[in-house]
Amino acid sequence: MDHAAIDPTQFIHIRMVLSMVVSLSIARLLSGLAKFVQHPGRLKVDGVHLLWALYMLVTLIHFWWWEFALSRVGPWHFLQFVFVVGYSAVLYLLCAILFPDDIAEYAGYRDYFMSRRRWFFGILAFTLLLDVADSALKGTPHLQELGTAYGVKTATAIALCGVAALVTSRRFQWALVLVALAVQQWWILRLYNVLS
């Protein structure tokens, strides 16, 4: 067997593990959102928090979609596998931060989110660094296809996460999540609308 050849069965195995972690993440978000319907008077909803939950839902769907490019990676090594599973686990952690098991000690999701913003934005910035490593894993042609806009987008997003971790201004928090959603949609439509 040629060890340099890409074995498609390796990718199917890796994709199955990724699908489990991504499924758990999506389930965490959806069950958190369902609580607002189940107990509308008990939980105080916050728009910024809800939009970050939407951002994470789209991120997870997008993650699942763009990871198809891993089918071109080969041969697979254990550390690459651990990295990709770890990346998806960090995305799950963000979902768990957005929807903890209990927020009884907080006045509502606004109070909770603002008290955990340093964790959320710190880990979000870390996922952006993981994305750079993930893109490098897919090879030089993939990085070249992303272009300089990728580097600018990533560096700007990491810097904004650092600011968001420190700033309590509601205007800033609203503006950031709206810009993040808009850039996310632009990026998906620009590069990842069609699998290749």
Side-chain angles (χ1 to χ4, degrees):
M1 179 176 133
D2 179 14
H3 292 285
I6 296 173
D7 180 1
T9 60
Q10 284 183 339
F11 176 65
I12 291 168
H13 179 72
I14 290 161
R15 193 154 166 96
M16 281 189 345
V17 174
L18 283 179
S19 70
M20 289 187 286
V21 180
V22 170
S23 296
L24 288 170
S25 303
I26 291 173
R28 183 79 183 216
L29 287 176
L30 295 178
S31 65
L33 292 170
K35 288 179 186 176
F36 297 130
V37 177
Q38 295 166 346
H39 309 288
R42 189 185 309 169
L43 300 170
K44 290 186 179 177
V45 180
D46 177 54
V48 170
H49 171 264
L50 281 178
L51 288 177
W52 280 115
L54 175 63
Y55 175 89
M56 285 308 303
L57 182 61
V58 174
T59 295
L60 290 164
I61 294 166
H62 183 208
F63 175 81
W64 180 244
W65 182 258
W66 89 60
E67 288 303 333
F68 187 79
L70 291 173
S71 64
R72 296 188 297 260
V73 173
W76 274 89
H77 300 281
F78 183 70
L79 287 178
Q80 292 170 315
F81 173 70
V82 169
F83 168 78
V84 173
V85 172
Y87 184 3
S88 61
V90 173
L91 292 173
Y92 174 83
L93 181 59
L94 281 172
C95 297
I97 289 171
L98 282 172
F99 289 106
D101 294 329
D102 183 26
I103 65 160
E105 65 267 31
Y106 299 95
Y109 273 94
R110 176 180 177 170
D111 182 36
Y112 167 76
F113 181 76
M114 293 307 290
S115 74
R116 293 294 177 259
R117 72 186 184 284
R118 288 187 175 131
W119 279 101
F120 179 78
F121 290 113
I123 295 170
L124 184 60
F126 181 61
T127 65
L128 296 166
L129 294 173
L130 290 175
D131 185 66
V132 172
D134 181 72
S135 296
L137 178 66
K138 292 170 186 161
T140 304
H142 178 74
L143 280 172
Q144 290 171 342
E145 182 182 330
L146 295 174
T148 56
Y150 176 69
V152 171
K153 175 185 81 69
T154 303
T156 303
I158 290 170
L160 286 172
C161 282
V163 174
L166 302 173
V167 173
T168 58
S169 164
R170 291 297 289 173
R171 280 188 170 174
F172 177 82
Q173 294 291 338
W174 271 105
L176 180 63
V177 72
L178 292 172
V179 167
L181 282 165
V183 170
Q184 182 185 54
Q185 298 311 305
W186 166 74
W187 193 252
I188 290 169
L189 294 174
R190 179 177 178 261
L191 285 178
Y192 295 108
N193 196 32
V194 177
L195 283 178
S196 57

